[in-house]
Amino acid sequence: MSNPQPDGYLALPANGSGRPVLVLHAWWGLNDTLKAFCDRLADAGFIAFAPDLYQGRITDTIDGADALAGELFGRVDEARAAVEQAATFLVERADGSGGGLGVVGFSLGAFFALDLSAAVPDQVHSVVVYYGTRPGDYSAAQAAYLGHYAENDPFEARADVDALEDALRQAGRPVTFHHYAGTGHWFAEPDRVDAYNRQAADLAWDRTLAFLRR
């Protein structure tokens, strides 16, 4: 018996089938920007699913997001289980399309994308992270990694980005990290009008699509 759909947003290609991509939201929650990203993936031929890790809550303020993220990490094991449940649902929904699971994570979601690749290495073949990191051991991972990072980012130290890249390389994983000149955190999210950089966002999207299609 297949698993029921967890709380979240499912976007399907016109023909209803495609390779699965799990999309993990930033600390704002499962907002319209994240849903639109899933829709773009579906238009490109992927089955995209974004679990709602905040259980219906969203915010557009940094203080509100900090509070929601803090609460989530206070129950991090529950959050990890929710991500794994979403991954299992999506793989089953894709009905054996082959090639395993792609995962895209934004900021807070990048942590859980990286975490999932280490926790269930047999499932995850591709990981895309937007301005987020996770320290830890990747020796069991089997995925390839693509990273999009801002040049000026007070929320994600360059030293942490470099440490992640080094850890992935030492684990023998294929990894490509891009640093986008003149950008800050959230540069790929059009609703963050103070940070959005369309040129960088479009380039990151093109690179993401090519990576997931390879």
Side-chain angles (χ1 to χ4, degrees):
M1 186 169 120
S2 62
N3 287 297
Q5 179 177 324
D7 290 340
Y9 184 77
L10 178 66
L12 300 174
N15 66 2
S17 65
R19 291 168 64 183
V21 179
L22 187 70
V23 183
L24 300 173
H25 62 70
W27 69 345
W28 315 113
L30 182 52
N31 60 15
D32 288 343
T33 291
L34 206 283
K35 292 176 181 177
F37 188 88
C38 291
D39 290 338
R40 290 181 77 187
L41 284 171
D43 289 342
F46 296 95
I47 296 176
F49 180 68
D52 184 356
L53 301 180
Y54 286 168
Q55 301 169 338
R57 293 170 296 172
I58 59 172
T59 185
D60 60 4
T61 70
I62 290 176
D63 286 346
D66 192 41
L68 286 172
E71 181 184 325
L72 186 70
F73 279 103
R75 51 182 178 87
V76 69
D77 288 342
E78 181 184 327
R80 284 180 164 127
V83 171
E84 290 190 27
Q85 180 189 12
T88 299
F89 158 75
L90 184 55
V91 169
E92 290 179 353
R93 177 62 182 77
D95 196 25
S97 65
L101 182 67
V103 187
V104 181
F106 289 83
S107 199
L108 173 144
F111 171 90
F112 287 102
L114 293 161
D115 196 65
L116 184 70
S117 74
V120 289
D122 293 345
Q123 260 188 351
V124 180
H125 70 70
S126 300
V127 177
V128 181
V129 290
Y130 280 80
Y131 30 81
T133 61
R134 167 199 175 270
D137 180 12
Y138 292 91
S139 58
Q142 299 179 28
Y145 295 81
L146 175 68
H148 304 300
Y149 292 97
E151 180 182 42
N152 309 304
D153 192 341
F155 294 92
E156 199 64 66
R158 178 62 184 258
D160 292 338
V161 177
D162 292 342
L164 171 61
E165 186 173 11
D166 288 345
L168 292 170
R169 291 193 188 285
Q170 288 179 20
R173 305 320 310 148
V175 53
T176 303
F177 282 2
H178 297 286
H179 299 267
Y180 295 80
T183 64
H185 209 80
W186 312 306
F187 70 81
E189 298 170 46
D191 60 318
R192 306 308 300 179
V193 294
D194 53 337
Y196 180 58
N197 182 309
R198 181 169 183 172
Q199 183 176 5
D202 286 349
L203 180 55
W205 167 257
D206 290 343
R207 286 168 167 167
T208 295
L209 213 54
F211 178 73
L212 293 173
R213 283 173 168 166
R214 76 194 188 291

